[in-house]
């Protein structure tokens, strides 16, 4: 009886389990950023004026463009899943390429945004940064830390979707078996929703 | 691994060679990998603890400089907390027995299970690197309190990264267990027919999942602060060190329930088996596990009564802390009530269970002394806290771990140990433990502060007694380990069910076959502890 397989074996395919696992992982990601949001809130309350002054330095246009890009990419990844469910593999792939393109645009935009600040010496350890008052320093540090961690998640999400693309091409993901695609979409929505909170906190609140 | 009493279909016999172990996705093999690694780190932690006790045998410098002492107690804390007591029961016995006890053949994500083992290994390597590079291991205490942790020249960054990585491993194990329990229970096993160990792991897993990310991000902030010189938690630069303490304890207080809940689950398994009757108040124990996990989130502030907190906040945290005592007490009452009128069979695991209840009682009640505002001001940061913590963690969790080792040893390795020797080792451990830690409670009340390598002459006698206790404890440990090693090689064949247990792991051969069961496991309609089931 060595090879008896139970009906509830952990080695069988279980889409519900895969999705549940992804949701649980997303909870941990939310709490990871939650700690940062807490720190941000407390220092904002402690240094309202410095945070206001520093936030005026950020480029609202670039932030808005990135918000639009990221929101659109959430749409494309959701459409890609629907396309796969309906059996249109070609369209699903195209929509995933668009999602990855949006991720790249977001990161390039972010690069120019950071670069402009670093050119002005606004980075921990640089001259201009050192002349700022403590509250403004904290604001910029949190800005780099939180948007940096978010950018890292954009990269991870894009790589994840890249793997999904490869799996679709190898026909490991098919209209009958697309849980990995759906999970990559869930992850991408998380990346999106965190940005939806980062954007007003840093760019819009005055 | 041929020395295990392996019948042809045992999981030891399935594949051979080191690679078949370190890249195995089988939950039993991963559990054993954790077992050897975690036990090794436990021994390292024990040696560090013995060195600290030796230093404290007399006032003044005895065997090490103050700075070395600071590093030794930090390393002792980091290893014992992050490498031993947080993973010990879920990663070893959870991995090995959770799937068997709920009647399935593996966890929901076997590959992620292997990944979490490798992440544990990487985290452990980071922790060990602090020993050999730079200015030596951190000297901050395992709590890494800012702003000192930001300023010291020792290897705080590496140690903090190690804790961060180990947290990741813990998250993945918790995630795996939650999905396993939701999806893979045997067809007739409804939620309330699940063994209590599985329930304890379920509650624990939620804490692992929801609390660990907070400390993860907090530790990353410490790293960033050290690298970029920001004043996030440094008051000189506009930061708030109290905020660090809040963030740290938002994780690290729930973490003590990660440490103790699985131990309570093990006790709830062993008591019915050795009392030969169903557990008293099954549902009360289930709900108390969940209640402890839930309330445990809201009590972190009791670590900070003396570090600056408003009066109302302190009262609320103190009240909530007292509330946790209620579900803990419910469990103790239920265990004792189960023994009442049972046909008690006094075997080695039951001795450890009794020691657990006794020591957990002392640990729990001294916890209330810390949780009350007026007394906490007096005992905060004294040896009373050290004594309390070790009564709960060593006297509680580690004794439950030893008990579980003796309870499940025949199942894991297929052989039986010498019970007489095991009982002798237990006696030494029990006596040594109490001689070691009880004087700490006394000397703490007298006012001896913790984390100092030196003390006033009037604290001399209790410290000598305590150090002697540490030697008895060490002797007990050595005897226990030697006994189990001998049993592993030469013990008598144990058979399926040496204790007469009724949970599913006793229905399968010892050691279990590759797919855990050789016949479909049978469940009783009367719940997991039905001793009438034949």
């Amino acid at each position: 009886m060595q090879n008896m397989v139970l009906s509830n074996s952990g080695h069988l395919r279980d889409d519900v389990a895969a999705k549940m696992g992804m949701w649980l992982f997303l909870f941990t990601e939310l709490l990871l950023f939650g700690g940062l949001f807490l720190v941000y809130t407390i220092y904002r309350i402690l240094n309202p004026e410095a945070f206001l002054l520093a936030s005026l330095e950020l480029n609202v246009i670039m932030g808005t463009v990135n918000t639009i890009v990221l929101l659109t990419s959430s749409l494309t990844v959701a459409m890609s899943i629907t396309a796969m469910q309906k059996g249109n593999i070609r369209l699903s792939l195209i929509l995933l390429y668009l999602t990855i393109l949006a991720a790249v645009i977001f990161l390039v935009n972010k690069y120019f945004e950071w670069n402009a600040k670093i050119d002005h010496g606004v980075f921990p350890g640089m001259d201009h940064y050192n002349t700022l008052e403590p509250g403004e320093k904290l604001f910029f540090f949190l800005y780099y830390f939180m948007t940096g961690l978010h950018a890292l998640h954009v990269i991870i999400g894009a790589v994840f979707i890249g793997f999904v693309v490869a799996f679709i091409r190898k026909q490991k993901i098919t209209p009958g078996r697309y849980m990995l695609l759906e999970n990559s979409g869930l992850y991408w929505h998380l990346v999106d929703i965190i940005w939806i909170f980062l954007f007003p906190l840093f760019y819009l609140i005055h | 691994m041929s020395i295990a009493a392996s019948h042809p279909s045992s999981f030891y016999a399935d594949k051979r060679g080191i690679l078949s172990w370190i890249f195995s996705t089988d939950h039993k093999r991963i559990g054993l990998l954790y077992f050897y690694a975690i036990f090794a780190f436990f021994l390292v932690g024990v040696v560090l603890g013995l060195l600290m006790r030796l230093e404290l045998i007399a006032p003044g410098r005895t065997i090490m400089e103050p700075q070395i002492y600071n590093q030794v107690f930090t390393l002792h804390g980091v290893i014992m907390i992050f490498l031993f007591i947080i993973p010990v029961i879920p990663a070893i016995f959870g991995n090995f027995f959770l799937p068997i006890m709920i009647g399935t053949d593996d966890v929901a994500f076997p590959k992620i299970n292997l990944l979490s083992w490798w992440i544990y290994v990487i985290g452990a390597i980071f922790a060990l690197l602090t020993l050999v590079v730079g200015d030596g291991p951190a000297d901050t205490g395992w709590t890494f309190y800012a702003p000192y942790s930001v300023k010291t020249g020792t290897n705080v960054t590496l140690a903090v990264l190690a804790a961060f990585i180990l947290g990741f491993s813990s998250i993945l194990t918790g995630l795996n267990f939650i999905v396993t329990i939701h999806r893979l229970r045997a067809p007739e096993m409804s939620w309330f027919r699940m063994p209590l160990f599985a329930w304890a792991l379920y509650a624990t897993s939620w804490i692992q999942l929801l609390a660990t990310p907070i400390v993860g991000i907090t530790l990353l902030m410490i790293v960033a602060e050290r690298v970029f010189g920001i004043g996030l938690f440094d008051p000189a630069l506009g930061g708030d060190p109290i905020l660090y303490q809040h963030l740290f304890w938002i994780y690290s207080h729930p973490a003590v329930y990660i440490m103790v809940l699985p131990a309570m689950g093990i006790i709830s398994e062993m008591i019915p088996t050795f009392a030969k009757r169903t557990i008293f108040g099954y549902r009360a124990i289930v709900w108390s596990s969940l209640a402890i996990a839930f309330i445990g989130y809201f009590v972190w502030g009791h670590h900070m009564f003396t570090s600056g907190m408003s009066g109302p906040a302190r009262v609320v945290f103190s009240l909530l802390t007292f509330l946790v005592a209620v579900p803990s007490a419910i469990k103790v009452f239920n265990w004792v009530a189960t023994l009442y009128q049972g046909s008690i069979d006094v075997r080695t695991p039951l001795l450890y269970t009794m020691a657990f209840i006794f020591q957990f009682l002392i640990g729990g009640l001294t916890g209330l002394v810390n949780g009350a505002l007026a007394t906490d001001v007096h005992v905060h940061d004294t040896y009373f806290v050290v004594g309390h913590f070790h009564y709960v963690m060593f006297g509680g969790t580690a004794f439950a771990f030893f008990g579980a080792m003796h309870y499940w040893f025949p199942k894991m390795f297929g052989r039986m140990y010498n019970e007489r020797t095991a009982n002798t080792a237990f006696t030494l451990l029990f006596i040594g433990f109490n001689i070691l830690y009880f004087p700490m409670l006394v000397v703490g009340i007298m006012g001896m502060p913790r984390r100092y390598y030196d003390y006033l002459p009037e604290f001399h006698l209790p410290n000598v007694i305590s150090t002697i206790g540490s030697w008895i404890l060490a002797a007990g440990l050595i005897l226990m380990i030697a006994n189990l090693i001998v049993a592993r090689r030469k013990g008598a064949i144990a058979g399926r069910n040496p204790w007469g247990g009724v949970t599913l792991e006793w229905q399968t051969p010892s050691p279990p076959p590759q797919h855990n069961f050789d016949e479909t496991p049978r469940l009783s309609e009367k719940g997991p502890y039905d001793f009438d089931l034949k």
Side-chain angles (χ1 to χ4, degrees):
Chain A
M1 290 293 279
Q2 192 179 354
N3 294 321
M4 188 188 78
V5 177
L6 297 160
S7 60
N8 56 328
S9 165
H11 300 285
L12 300 175
R13 173 184 165 190
D14 185 352
D15 287 350
V16 178
K19 203 169 185 176
M20 189 187 283
M22 193 66 204
W23 274 105
L24 293 175
F25 183 68
L26 295 186
F27 288 170
T28 71
E29 290 276 18
L30 281 180
L31 282 156
L32 190 79
F33 278 93
L36 283 169
F37 284 125
L38 182 70
V39 170
Y40 173 93
T41 310
I42 292 198
Y43 285 132
R44 176 129 208 156
I45 291 167
L46 290 177
N47 311 286
E49 284 169 14
F51 267 53
L52 176 63
L53 268 178
S55 70
L56 293 174
E57 301 287 319
L58 297 189
N59 189 330
V60 181
I61 294 174
M62 283 183 129
T64 311
V65 170
N66 262 353
T67 308
I68 294 168
V69 168
L70 214 51
L71 278 174
T72 314
S73 71
S74 249
L75 175 71
T76 53
V77 83
M79 285 164 68
S80 167
I81 295 166
T82 311
M84 180 60 76
Q85 286 169 330
K86 293 191 167 182
N88 192 339
I89 295 172
R90 214 178 91 83
L91 181 62
S92 176
L93 274 174
I94 292 173
L95 287 162
L96 286 184
Y97 287 132
L98 284 176
T99 311
I100 295 175
L101 179 70
V104 172
I105 294 173
F106 180 91
L107 289 170
V108 169
N109 202 356
K110 192 99 249 165
Y111 168 79
F112 283 118
E113 200 186 334
W114 276 34
N115 211 24
K117 283 189 190 51
I118 292 168
D119 277 348
H120 285 100
V122 184
F123 191 80
M126 288 181 158
D127 292 341
H128 185 87
Y129 181 87
N130 287 339
T131 62
L132 296 171
E133 62 165 299
E136 289 181 82
K137 280 183 183 169
L138 285 174
F139 178 88
F140 281 113
F141 174 67
L142 284 171
Y143 164 76
Y144 284 115
F145 197 91
M146 292 171 81
T147 59
L149 192 65
H150 176 260
L152 185 68
H153 280 75
V154 172
I155 294 170
I156 294 168
V159 170
F160 190 179
I161 292 175
F163 273 104
V164 168
V165 167
F167 283 150
I168 293 176
R169 297 178 71 103
K170 284 188 197 162
Q171 294 182 332
K172 283 187 180 170
I173 295 174
T174 61
R177 187 188 182 110
Y178 55 86
M179 196 37 66
L180 200 62
L181 169 63
E182 192 161 344
N183 277 345
S184 75
L186 279 175
Y187 190 83
W188 194 253
H189 293 321
L190 170 92
V191 171
D192 196 13
I193 203 163
I194 287 171
W195 179 256
I196 289 174
F197 282 90
L198 288 178
F199 176 59
L201 282 182
F202 282 105
Y203 294 80
L204 297 186
I205 299 178
H206 287 318
Chain B
M1 297 284 168
S2 54
I3 41 179
S6 55
H7 48 88
S9 64
S10 125
F11 75 98
Y12 291 97
D14 189 56
K15 285 193 190 101
R16 292 179 187 283
I18 181 84
L19 291 182
S20 77
W21 280 81
I22 61 174
F23 294 115
S24 170
T25 54
D26 178 37
H27 68 101
K28 299 181 286 302
R29 290 189 173 210
I30 293 174
L32 284 172
L33 289 175
Y34 272 117
F35 180 58
Y36 295 122
I38 289 174
F39 209 90
F41 283 114
F42 171 65
L43 293 180
V44 175
V46 167
V47 169
L48 291 168
L50 289 171
L51 288 174
M52 286 157 66
R53 274 324 314 167
L54 195 56
E55 168 58 40
L56 291 173
I57 198 169
R61 181 182 182 282
T62 316
I63 57 164
M64 58 178 101
E65 298 297 326
Q67 174 63 11
I68 303 287
Y69 183 80
N70 291 346
Q71 292 174 317
V72 168
F73 79 66
T74 304
L75 204 59
H76 171 79
V78 169
I79 287 178
M80 283 302 204
I81 300 278
F82 294 110
L83 288 166
F84 170 64
I85 209 152
I86 285 182
V88 59
I89 292 173
I92 299 172
F93 298 115
N95 262 320
F96 199 108
F97 286 106
L98 173 68
I100 305 182
M101 290 175 99
I102 62 172
T104 182
D105 61 354
D106 211 328
V107 291
F109 308 117
K111 284 178 193 156
I112 290 179
N113 205 16
L114 178 64
L115 178 69
S116 81
W117 148 255
W118 275 105
I119 293 175
Y120 175 84
V121 170
I122 294 167
I125 290 171
F126 269 72
L128 293 180
L129 274 180
T130 64
L131 288 169
V132 289
V133 302
D135 290 331
D139 60 349
T140 57
W142 75 277
T143 47
F144 304 117
Y145 267 19
Y148 182 66
S149 61
V150 181
K151 291 178 169 165
T152 172
T154 51
N155 277 326
V156 170
T157 307
L158 266 180
V160 159
L161 280 175
F164 176 77
I165 295 167
L166 291 166
F168 226 98
S169 163
S170 179
I171 287 175
L172 290 179
T173 302
L175 188 154
N176 223 334
F177 286 177
I178 291 177
V179 179
T180 304
I181 290 171
H182 272 274
R183 297 294 302 166
L184 297 183
R185 281 172 288 126
E188 309 91 62
M189 185 175 278
S190 58
W191 281 92
F192 287 102
R193 282 188 203 164
M194 216 162 58
L196 288 164
F197 182 53
W199 268 111
L201 286 174
Y202 185 70
T204 309
S205 298
W206 276 107
I207 312 178
Q208 285 176 297
L209 199 72
L210 297 182
T212 318
I214 309 278
V215 82
I217 198 67
T218 309
L219 295 177
L220 274 191
M221 283 188 251
I222 290 280
V223 172
E225 230 188 307
R226 285 179 67 86
V227 173
F228 294 112
I230 321 293
L232 211 48
F233 301 123
D234 183 355
L237 299 169
D240 185 356
I242 308 284
L243 181 58
Y244 172 81
Q245 295 185 19
H246 275 291
L247 287 166
F248 181 81
W249 289 114
I250 284 176
Y251 164 73
S252 297
H253 194 77
V256 306
Y257 301 111
I258 297 178
M259 305 171 199
V260 82
L261 272 174
M264 293 168 154
I266 284 175
I267 301 300
S268 308
E269 291 299 324
M270 293 195 285
I271 286 198
T273 300
F274 294 103
K276 297 280 174 285
R277 62 175 291 226
T278 188
I279 191 98
F280 181 86
Y282 171 88
R283 283 190 188 230
I285 295 184
V286 169
W287 289 114
S288 65
S289 289
L290 297 174
I292 289 173
F294 181 74
I295 305 171
Y297 274 104
F298 305 103
V299 301
W300 79 85
H302 66 214
H303 293 269
M304 303 162 57
F305 285 156
T306 60
S307 50
M309 195 192 281
S310 72
R314 288 194 293 169
V315 171
V316 170
F317 277 124
S318 179
L319 180 73
L320 288 166
T321 304
F322 272 69
L323 272 185
V324 184
V326 176
S328 311
I330 287 175
K331 282 179 192 288
V332 174
F333 288 131
N334 282 335
W335 293 328
V336 176
T338 307
L339 290 170
Y340 178 66
Q341 291 196 339
S343 321
I344 299 176
D345 187 11
V346 184
R347 310 293 283 274
T348 313
L350 189 73
L351 293 177
Y352 280 102
T353 306
M354 296 295 99
F356 173 95
I357 295 177
F358 174 71
Q359 285 154 186
F360 178 75
L361 212 61
I362 295 179
L365 293 174
T366 51
L368 292 179
V369 177
N370 294 320
L373 291 175
T375 43
D376 183 64
V377 173
H378 180 67
V379 297
H380 184 82
D381 263 345
T382 66
Y383 260 86
F384 188 80
V385 178
V386 181
H388 153 71
F389 188 67
H390 284 86
Y391 259 95
V392 183
M393 287 304 142
F394 196 161
T397 304
F399 267 69
F401 167 60
F402 298 155
M405 247 164 47
H406 287 87
Y407 182 56
W408 280 320
F409 186 92
K411 182 54 64 184
M412 293 165 83
F413 301 109
R415 290 183 188 270
M416 200 50 159
Y417 45 86
N418 182 326
E419 276 200 71
R420 187 184 287 264
T421 317
N423 292 349
T424 313
F426 163 79
T427 311
L428 284 173
L429 279 169
F430 179 72
I431 293 171
F433 172 87
N434 284 289
I435 295 179
L436 167 55
Y437 292 109
F438 201 81
M440 289 191 185
L441 296 172
V442 176
V443 88
I445 298 247
M446 288 162 73
M448 178 171 160
R450 65 183 183 141
R451 291 185 171 174
Y452 283 74
Y453 94 121
D454 194 6
Y455 51 82
L456 296 173
E458 59 257 42
F459 302 137
H460 192 192
L461 180 65
N463 274 291
V464 172
I465 297 173
S466 181
T467 303
I468 292 171
S470 75
W471 299 334
I472 302 174
L473 185 83
L477 264 180
I478 292 168
L479 187 61
M480 179 187 84
I481 295 165
N483 186 36
L484 292 181
I485 290 175
V486 170
R488 175 88 165 74
R489 292 168 182 275
K490 299 193 186 126
I493 301 296
R496 278 184 192 238
N497 194 355
W499 312 120
V502 290
T503 38
L504 298 189
E505 78 269 30
W506 304 112
Q507 293 188 13
T508 184
S510 312
Q514 179 66 19
H515 294 288
N516 288 353
F517 294 98
D518 53 357
E519 53 195 52
T520 307
R522 288 173 307 127
L523 275 76
S524 164
E525 287 174 8
K526 287 197 240 159
Y529 306 105
D530 177 12
F531 281 84
D532 299 327
L533 179 75
K534 285 284 174 273

